[in-house]
Coordinates of all heavy atoms in Angstrom, one line a residue:
N89 N -12.7 5.2 -15.6 CA -12.7 3.6 -15.5 C -11.7 3.0 -14.7 O -11.2 2.0 -14.9 CB -12.7 3.1 -17.0 CG -13.3 1.9 -17.1 OD1 -14.2 1.5 -16.2 ND2 -13.1 1.1 -18.1
A90 N -11.4 3.9 -13.5 CA -10.3 3.3 -12.5 C -11.1 2.6 -11.3 O -12.3 2.9 -10.9 CB -9.5 4.5 -12.1
Q91 N -10.4 1.6 -10.7 CA -11.0 1.0 -9.5 C -10.4 1.3 -8.2 O -11.0 1.0 -7.2 CB -10.8 -0.4 -9.7 CG -11.3 -1.2 -11.1 CD -10.2 -1.0 -12.2 OE1 -9.2 -0.5 -12.0 NE2 -10.7 -1.7 -13.3
V92 N -9.2 1.9 -8.2 CA -8.4 2.0 -7.0 C -7.9 3.4 -6.8 O -7.5 4.1 -7.7 CB -7.2 1.0 -7.1 CG1 -6.1 1.3 -6.0 CG2 -7.7 -0.4 -7.0
I93 N -8.0 3.8 -5.5 CA -7.4 5.1 -5.0 C -6.2 4.7 -4.4 O -6.2 3.9 -3.5 CB -8.4 5.9 -4.1 CG1 -9.7 6.2 -4.8 CG2 -7.7 7.1 -3.6 CD1 -10.7 6.7 -3.9
I94 N -5.0 5.5 -4.6 CA -3.7 5.2 -4.0 C -3.6 6.5 -2.9 O -3.8 7.5 -3.4 CB -2.5 5.2 -4.9 CG1 -2.7 4.1 -5.8 CG2 -1.4 5.2 -4.1 CD1 -2.4 2.7 -5.4
R95 N -3.3 6.0 -1.8 CA -2.8 7.1 -0.8 C -1.6 6.6 0.0 O -1.3 5.5 0.2 CB -4.1 7.4 0.3 CG -5.3 7.9 -0.3 CD -5.2 9.3 -0.7 NE -5.3 10.3 0.3 CZ -5.1 11.6 0.2 NH1 -5.0 12.1 -1.2 NH2 -5.1 12.5 1.1
G96 N -0.9 7.6 0.5 CA 0.3 7.4 1.2 C 0.1 7.6 2.7 O -0.7 8.4 3.1
L97 N 0.7 6.8 3.5 CA 0.6 6.9 5.1 C 2.0 7.3 5.5 O 2.9 6.4 5.2 CB 0.1 5.7 5.7 CG -1.6 5.5 5.5 CD1 -1.9 4.2 6.2 CD2 -2.3 6.6 6.1
R98 N 2.1 8.2 6.4 CA 3.4 8.7 6.9 C 3.5 8.2 8.4 O 4.4 7.7 9.0 CB 3.7 10.1 6.9 CG 4.2 10.5 5.5 CD 4.1 12.0 5.4 NE 2.6 12.3 5.4 CZ 2.1 13.5 5.0 NH1 2.9 14.4 4.7 NH2 0.8 13.7 5.0
A99 N 2.4 8.6 9.1 CA 2.3 8.4 10.5 C 1.0 8.0 11.1 O 0.0 8.1 10.3 CB 2.8 9.7 11.2
I100 N 0.8 7.8 12.3 CA -0.5 7.4 12.8 C -1.3 8.6 12.6 O -2.6 8.4 12.4 CB -0.4 7.0 14.3 CG1 0.5 5.7 14.5 CG2 -1.7 6.8 15.0 CD1 0.7 5.1 15.8
S101 N -0.8 9.8 12.7 CA -1.6 11.1 12.6 C -2.3 11.1 11.2 O -3.3 11.7 11.1 CB -0.7 12.3 12.9 OG 0.4 12.1 12.0
D102 N -1.8 10.5 10.3 CA -2.5 10.5 9.0 C -3.6 9.6 8.9 O -4.6 9.6 8.1 CB -1.5 9.9 7.8 CG -0.5 10.9 7.2 OD1 -0.8 12.2 7.4 OD2 0.5 10.5 6.6
F103 N -3.6 8.5 9.8 CA -4.6 7.5 9.7 C -6.0 7.9 9.9 O -6.9 7.6 9.0 CB -4.3 6.4 10.8 CG -5.2 5.2 10.7 CD1 -5.0 4.1 9.9 CD2 -6.3 5.2 11.5 CE1 -5.9 3.1 9.8 CE2 -7.1 4.1 11.5 CZ -6.9 3.1 10.5
E104 N -6.3 8.6 10.8 CA -7.8 9.0 11.1 C -8.4 9.7 9.9 O -9.6 9.2 9.6 CB -7.8 9.9 12.3 CG -9.2 10.0 12.9 CD -9.3 10.7 14.2 OE1 -8.3 10.9 14.8 OE2 -10.4 11.0 14.6
N105 N -7.8 10.6 9.4 CA -8.4 11.3 8.3 C -8.6 10.4 7.0 O -9.5 10.4 6.3 CB -7.6 12.5 7.9 CG -8.2 13.5 7.1 OD1 -9.4 13.7 7.2 ND2 -7.5 14.3 6.1
E106 N -7.5 9.6 6.8 CA -7.5 8.7 5.6 C -8.5 7.7 5.8 O -9.1 7.3 4.8 CB -6.0 8.1 5.4 CG -5.0 9.0 5.1 CD -5.1 9.7 3.7 OE1 -5.9 9.0 2.8 OE2 -4.5 10.7 3.3
F107 N -8.6 7.1 7.0 CA -9.6 6.1 7.3 C -11.0 6.6 7.0 O -11.9 6.0 6.4 CB -9.4 5.7 8.8 CG -10.3 4.7 9.3 CD1 -10.3 3.4 8.5 CD2 -11.1 4.8 10.4 CE1 -11.1 2.4 9.1 CE2 -11.9 3.8 10.8 CZ -12.0 2.5 10.2
M108 N -11.4 7.8 7.4 CA -12.6 8.5 7.3 C -12.8 8.7 5.7 O -13.9 8.5 5.2 CB -12.6 9.8 8.0 CG -13.8 10.6 8.1 SD -13.6 12.2 8.8 CE -12.7 13.0 7.3
M109 N -11.8 9.1 5.0 CA -12.0 9.4 3.6 C -12.4 8.1 2.9 O -13.1 7.9 1.8 CB -10.8 10.1 3.0 CG -10.8 11.6 3.2 SD -9.7 12.3 2.0 CE -8.2 11.9 2.8
A110 N -11.5 7.0 3.2 CA -11.7 5.8 2.5 C -13.1 5.2 2.7 O -13.7 4.7 1.8 CB -10.6 4.8 3.1
L111 N -13.6 5.3 4.0 CA -14.9 4.7 4.2 C -15.9 5.6 3.6 O -17.0 4.9 3.1 CB -15.2 4.8 5.8 CG -14.3 3.7 6.6 CD1 -14.7 3.7 8.1 CD2 -14.4 2.3 6.0
T112 N -15.7 6.8 3.5 CA -16.7 7.7 2.8 C -16.8 7.3 1.3 O -17.9 7.2 0.7 CB -16.4 9.2 2.9 OG1 -16.2 9.4 4.4 CG2 -17.4 10.1 2.3
N113 N -15.7 7.1 0.8 CA -15.5 6.8 -0.7 C -16.2 5.4 -0.9 O -16.9 5.1 -1.9 CB -14.1 6.8 -1.2 CG -13.7 8.4 -1.3 OD1 -14.4 9.3 -1.5 ND2 -12.4 8.6 -1.2
K114 N -16.0 4.6 0.1 CA -16.5 3.2 -0.1 C -18.0 3.2 -0.1 O -18.7 2.5 -0.7 CB -15.9 2.3 1.0 CG -16.2 0.9 0.9 CD -15.0 0.2 0.2 CE -15.4 -1.2 -0.1 NZ -14.8 -1.6 -1.3
K115 N -18.5 4.0 0.9 CA -20.0 4.3 1.0 C -20.6 4.8 -0.3 O -21.6 4.4 -0.7 CB -20.3 5.2 2.2 CG -21.8 5.5 2.4 CD -22.3 4.6 3.2 CE -23.8 5.0 3.7 NZ -24.8 4.9 2.5
L116 N -19.9 5.8 -0.9 CA -20.3 6.3 -2.0 C -20.4 5.4 -3.3 O -21.3 5.3 -4.0 CB -19.4 7.7 -2.5 CG -19.6 8.8 -1.5 CD1 -18.6 9.8 -1.9 CD2 -21.0 9.3 -1.5
V117 N -19.2 4.7 -3.4 CA -19.2 3.7 -4.6 C -18.5 2.5 -4.0 O -17.3 2.4 -3.9 CB -18.3 4.3 -5.6 CG1 -18.2 3.4 -6.8 CG2 -18.8 5.6 -6.2

Side-chain angles (χ1 to χ4, degrees):
N89 206 15
Q91 305 88 354
V92 169
I93 299 172
I94 298 287
R95 296 289 286 177
L97 282 180
R98 280 163 295 190
I100 298 177
S101 51
D102 278 343
F103 180 82
E104 195 172 345
N105 195 35
E106 293 293 340
F107 183 56
M108 191 188 69
M109 275 197 292
L111 290 187
T112 306
N113 287 330
K114 191 91 188 144
K115 174 85 176 67
L116 293 172
V117 182

